[in-house]
């Protein structure tokens, strides 16, 4: 498993605002999108390109374009929706799959409730979007379902990760690539990331 932690002044700055309990929901959403853009730049670094000949206003030249088969973005509902606009901004023709999972409050085991994946998963790079990697149960289940549907080139994108979640994914999916904004200290007894940012879904959608 390869894990890339974005070490960038803008990520540090924006994360300090995202973590702040006083940051209102509208700004929280904007900041998640902004960090999402920075994560998207790193996550898309390995996308395949192919040569193309174009004509500039001055001459013919060889350039590069993304391979024709579009990548797939899979936000894990709900909080993964917060990262989707950033990825669609950079990859406007990407296909979008949806996966609904919620963590059972007591067992912390993810409960699947919705799934809709685009075709040709096996041939496309797939980006799983979820701001929070806590126990790793939800991400592991998302990757398991996508592999079961044929996906072979998988990248998980998260804003914050706990060491416990990274260890779980290393065990369950050693072939996974992970791009994350920061790795925090630990989980608390309720499975929340410390210091963390609280409940990402509730803060994004005002349901606290
Ligand atoms: C949150 C988060 C992840 C999951 C992470 O979702 O968005 O999907 O918890 O926790 P884990 O690594 O321990 O599985 P939640 O279940 O709260 O649902 P929501 O996005 O609908 O709020
Ligand atoms: N899900 C969240 O939204 N926050 C956490 O800290 C852990 C799981």
């Amino acid at each position: 498993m390869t894990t890339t932690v974005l070490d960038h002044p803008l990520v540090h700055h924006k994360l300090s605002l995202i973590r702040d309990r006083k940051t209102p929901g509208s700004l929280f959403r904007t900041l998640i999108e902004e960090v999402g853009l920075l994560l998207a730049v790193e996550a898309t670094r390995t996308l395949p390109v192919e040569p193309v000949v174009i004509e500039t206003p001055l001459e013919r030249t060889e350039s590069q374009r993304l391979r024709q088969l579009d990548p797939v973005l899979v936000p894990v509902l709900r909080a993964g929706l917060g990262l989707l606009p950033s990825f669609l901004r950079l990859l406007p023709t990407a296909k979008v799959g949806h996966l609904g999972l919620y963590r059972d409050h007591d067992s912390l085991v993810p409960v699947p409730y919705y799934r809709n994946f685009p075709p040709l998963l096996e041939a496309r790079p797939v980006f799983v979007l979820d701001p929070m990697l806590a126990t790793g149960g939800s991400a592991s289940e998302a990757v398991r379902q996508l592999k079961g549907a044929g996906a072979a080139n998988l990248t998980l994108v998260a804003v914050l990760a706990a060491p416990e979640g990274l260890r779980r994914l290393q065990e369950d999916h050693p072939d996974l690539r992970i791009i994350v904004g920061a790795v925090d200290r630990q989980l608390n007894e309720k499975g929340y990331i410390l210091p963390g940012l609280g409940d990402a879904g509730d803060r994004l959608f005002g349901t606290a």
Side-chain angles (χ1 to χ4, degrees):
M1 190 173 85
T2 64
T3 302
T4 303
V5 184
L6 280 198
D7 184 14
H8 191 292
L10 286 177
V11 175
H12 296 307
H13 175 76
K14 290 174 193 300
L15 271 180
S16 83
L17 295 166
I18 285 172
R19 291 180 189 280
D20 191 331
R21 65 187 306 164
K22 294 197 293 301
T23 296
S26 55
L27 178 58
F28 182 87
R29 244 191 329 268
T30 301
L31 289 161
I32 289 285
E33 282 188 30
E34 291 172 354
V35 170
L37 270 179
L38 294 159
L39 291 166
V41 169
E42 184 60 33
T44 51
R45 187 183 290 285
T46 54
L47 280 180
V49 289
E50 52 197 17
V52 61
V53 175
I54 55 158
E55 293 201 17
T56 77
L58 300 172
E59 64 177 20
R60 270 167 89 84
T61 186
E62 190 167 293
S63 188
Q64 295 188 352
R65 294 229 169 119
L66 290 180
R67 211 186 50 181
Q68 281 228 327
L69 197 62
D70 289 314
V72 175
L73 310 174
V74 182
V76 178
L77 308 180
R78 292 174 301 167
L81 291 173
L83 292 172
L84 185 61
S86 325
F87 277 73
L88 279 176
R89 174 94 66 89
L90 296 185
L91 296 169
T93 61
K95 309 299 180 210
V96 180
H98 291 84
L99 183 60
L101 298 176
Y102 71 87
R103 264 196 339 175
D104 179 85
H105 274 296
D106 300 318
S107 67
L108 302 184
V109 172
V111 182
Y113 61 88
Y114 183 74
R115 165 177 161 159
N116 188 336
F117 296 153
L120 293 178
L121 274 185
E122 61 283 359
R124 304 176 191 271
V126 177
F127 297 94
V128 181
L129 312 180
D130 192 335
M132 307 305 277
L133 172 61
T135 66
S138 303
S140 182
E141 172 64 13
V143 171
R144 190 188 70 76
Q145 289 208 26
L146 283 159
K147 284 182 174 173
N153 176 353
L154 280 149
T155 301
L156 172 74
V157 179
V159 174
L160 289 186
E164 293 90 333
L166 290 171
R167 282 198 292 273
R168 165 87 186 261
L169 288 180
Q170 171 68 50
E171 273 177 28
D172 292 357
H173 302 291
D175 52 339
L176 186 65
R177 177 173 168 252
I178 299 181
I179 312 292
V180 63
V183 179
D184 276 11
R185 192 176 73 247
Q186 67 183 100
L187 297 178
N188 71 8
E189 68 287 351
K190 291 184 172 156
Y192 277 81
I193 298 176
L194 297 175
L197 55 75
D199 189 302
D202 281 348
R203 292 190 68 188
L204 279 169
F205 301 115
T207 48

